[in-house]
Structures are given as structure tokens and as C-alpha cells.
């Protein structure tokens, strides 16, 4: 999805939830890969706890995201790395 479209959807009350779902879905693969690279020997429960922290961080990133300042993947990566 285009960064501007995601931004506009998030800041529209009618499509905010849809934007959150899209952002989470697009980030899921990256979250799992980063957790595995961080420590592939964690138990499943620990991995899921960290993944949930990352998902919450994605929602926080949407609040502060500005498509004119950065690409969404770059902006959200900072939040994901901090959550891990």
C-alpha cells in the first residue's frame, strides 16, 4: 500500500481501523523474521509475547507517522526494533 494512502486512511475516522489492520498485516512477516534473527531459540510463548509487543508498537507508530518525512517501512522499523 502507498504510504500516503495509509496515512490518509489512518487519519480518517471511517477507515482508521482498516488502516491499522493493513499496517499490522504488512508488518507481520517482518516482525517474525526479526524475532527469529534476534534469538531463534526462544520458546513459542516468548516469541508470541515479543510479537505482540511489536504489534502494539506498530499501532503507536501510526500515531506519529508522517509520509512526507519517511517511508512507512522505515518509520515502523524503528518502533519494531525498540519493541524487540
Amino acid at each position: 500500500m502507498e504510504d500516503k494512502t495509509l496515512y490518509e486512511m489512518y487519519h480518517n475516522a471511517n477507515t482508521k481501523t482498516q488502516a491499522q489492520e493493513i499496517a499490522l498485516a504488512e508488518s507481520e512477516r517482518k516482525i517474525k523474521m526479526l524475532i527469529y534473527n534476534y534469538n531463534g531459540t526462544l520458546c513459542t510463548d516468548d516469541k508470541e509475547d515479543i510479537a505482540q509487543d511489536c504489534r502494539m508498537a506498530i499501532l503507536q507508530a501510526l500515531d506519529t507517522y508522517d509520509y512526507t518525512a519517511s517511508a512507512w517501512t522505515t518509520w515502523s522499523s524503528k518502533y519494531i526494533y525498540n519493541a524487540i
Side-chain angles (χ1 to χ4, degrees), residues 2-19:
E2 270 190 49
D3 295 341
K4 183 178 180 181
T5 306
L6 180 64
Y7 177 85
E8 290 172 347
M9 286 178 68
Y10 184 74
H11 291 285
N12 179 335
N14 296 326
T15 58
K16 184 175 184 174
T17 303
Q18 185 181 5

Side-chain angles (χ1 to χ4, degrees), residues 24 27-28 31-32 35 38 42 45-61 76-84:
L24 289 170
S27 301
E28 194 64 27
I31 289 170
K32 289 183 180 188
I35 291 170
Y38 172 72
L42 292 171
D45 289 341
D46 289 342
K47 288 179 185 177
E48 189 53 41
D49 287 345
I50 294 170
Q52 190 63 21
D53 288 341
C54 291
R55 293 180 195 110
M56 291 175 14
I58 292 290
L59 298 177
Q60 291 173 346
S76 62
S77 292
K78 173 178 71 168
Y79 284 80
I80 294 170
Y81 288 127
N82 287 338
I84 291 175

Side-chain angles (χ1 to χ4, degrees), residues 61-72:
L62 280 168
D63 284 335
T64 59
Y65 177 59
D66 179 6
Y67 72 94
T68 62
S70 174
W72 168 247

